[in-house]
Amino acid sequence: MARRRRSNNAGLVCMAGIAGVIVLAPLLRLARENLALIVAMVVAIVVAVTCALISRKVYVRRQVERKQDRLRAVLPFHSMNDKEFEDAVASLCREGGCHDVRVCGGSGDRGVDVTARTPDGRRLIVQAKRYRIGNPVGDKDMQQFVGGINTWHEYDIAVLVTTSRFTRPARETAQRLGVRLVDNARLAAWNVGASRPPWDWTSGDV
């Protein structure tokens, strides 16, 4: 009985193999005859998927940029939270002609909230401090900013933007180290187009 079952099983396996050959043979022949077409179809599918992913990424980024622009237009800077203020500064940079604008503030930002390329290709880094008017940015803040960016970042222009003001020692440190400062008055002027963006300042503007 056991031998008969083994024999039946072997027969079934053999028949399945024959059926597989009968089914696969035409498919293999078709594949060989249309190899170029199959390769072209695969390439087309890969290209289509890649384009869809890129389009999706561009769409999401544009939605974020529109949100940043609307936010800056309708909310006073002091009414924003820290993330909203960083987004608003990014919007100002983009409106001024910068490209590759990125908001990178948060945990582990190492002193930089916004990075960008200026219209003429220089690397711009910005720290955005949303402080109350009565809480100025002091020299300690300035030294921490400079220490962080010189340790971790490559840049051509460094800007510190605040909704408050800067103490005299902070301004002296910034002038000595080449950091461009945007206080609340300059920020308001920049926002309405009454002031040139900080990357276009001359030595007399700093």
Side-chain angles (χ1 to χ4, degrees), residues 34-49:
N34 298 277
L35 182 59
L37 178 61
I38 293 172
V39 171
M41 290 177 62
V42 171
V43 171
I45 292 171
V46 171
V47 170
V49 171

Coordinates of all heavy atoms in Angstrom, one line a residue, residues 34-49:
N34 N 10.1 39.1 -26.9 CA 9.7 40.5 -26.6 C 10.5 41.1 -25.4 O 10.0 41.9 -24.6 CB 8.2 40.5 -26.2 CG 7.3 40.1 -27.3 OD1 7.0 40.9 -28.2 ND2 6.9 38.8 -27.3
L35 N 11.8 40.6 -25.4 CA 12.6 41.1 -24.2 C 12.7 42.6 -24.2 O 12.6 43.2 -23.2 CB 14.0 40.4 -24.4 CG 15.0 40.8 -23.3 CD1 14.4 40.3 -21.9 CD2 16.3 40.1 -23.5
A36 N 13.0 43.2 -25.4 CA 13.1 44.7 -25.4 C 11.9 45.4 -24.9 O 11.9 46.4 -24.2 CB 13.5 45.1 -26.8
L37 N 10.7 44.8 -25.3 CA 9.5 45.4 -24.9 C 9.3 45.3 -23.4 O 8.9 46.3 -22.7 CB 8.3 44.8 -25.6 CG 6.9 45.2 -25.2 CD1 6.7 46.7 -25.6 CD2 5.8 44.4 -26.0
I38 N 9.6 44.2 -22.8 CA 9.5 43.9 -21.4 C 10.4 44.9 -20.6 O 10.0 45.5 -19.6 CB 9.8 42.5 -21.0 CG1 8.7 41.6 -21.6 CG2 9.8 42.3 -19.5 CD1 8.9 40.1 -21.5
V39 N 11.7 45.0 -21.1 CA 12.6 45.9 -20.4 C 12.1 47.3 -20.5 O 12.2 48.1 -19.5 CB 14.0 45.8 -21.1 CG1 14.9 46.9 -20.6 CG2 14.6 44.4 -20.8
A40 N 11.6 47.7 -21.7 CA 11.1 49.1 -21.8 C 9.9 49.3 -20.9 O 9.8 50.4 -20.3 CB 10.6 49.3 -23.3
M41 N 9.0 48.3 -20.7 CA 7.9 48.5 -19.8 C 8.3 48.6 -18.3 O 7.8 49.4 -17.6 CB 6.9 47.3 -19.9 CG 6.2 47.2 -21.3 SD 5.2 45.7 -21.4 CE 4.0 46.0 -20.1
V42 N 9.3 47.8 -18.0 CA 9.9 47.9 -16.6 C 10.5 49.2 -16.3 O 10.2 49.9 -15.3 CB 10.9 46.8 -16.3 CG1 11.6 47.0 -15.0 CG2 10.2 45.4 -16.4
V43 N 11.3 49.7 -17.3 CA 11.9 51.0 -17.2 C 10.8 52.1 -17.1 O 10.9 53.0 -16.2 CB 12.8 51.3 -18.3 CG1 13.3 52.8 -18.3 CG2 14.0 50.4 -18.3
A44 N 9.8 52.0 -17.9 CA 8.7 53.0 -17.9 C 8.0 53.0 -16.5 O 7.7 54.1 -16.0 CB 7.7 52.7 -19.0
I45 N 7.8 51.8 -16.0 CA 7.1 51.7 -14.6 C 8.0 52.4 -13.6 O 7.5 53.2 -12.7 CB 6.8 50.3 -14.3 CG1 5.7 49.7 -15.2 CG2 6.4 50.2 -12.8 CD1 5.5 48.3 -15.1
V46 N 9.3 52.1 -13.6 CA 10.2 52.7 -12.6 C 10.3 54.2 -12.7 O 10.2 54.9 -11.7 CB 11.7 52.1 -12.8 CG1 12.7 52.8 -11.9 CG2 11.7 50.6 -12.4
V47 N 10.3 54.7 -14.0 CA 10.4 56.1 -14.2 C 9.1 56.8 -13.7 O 9.1 57.8 -13.1 CB 10.6 56.5 -15.7 CG1 10.4 57.9 -16.0 CG2 12.0 56.0 -16.1
A48 N 7.9 56.1 -14.0 CA 6.6 56.7 -13.6 C 6.5 56.7 -12.1 O 6.1 57.8 -11.5 CB 5.5 55.8 -14.2
V49 N 7.0 55.7 -11.4 CA 6.9 55.7 -9.9 C 7.8 56.8 -9.4 O 7.5 57.5 -8.4 CB 7.3 54.3 -9.4 CG1 7.5 54.3 -7.9 CG2 6.3 53.3 -9.8

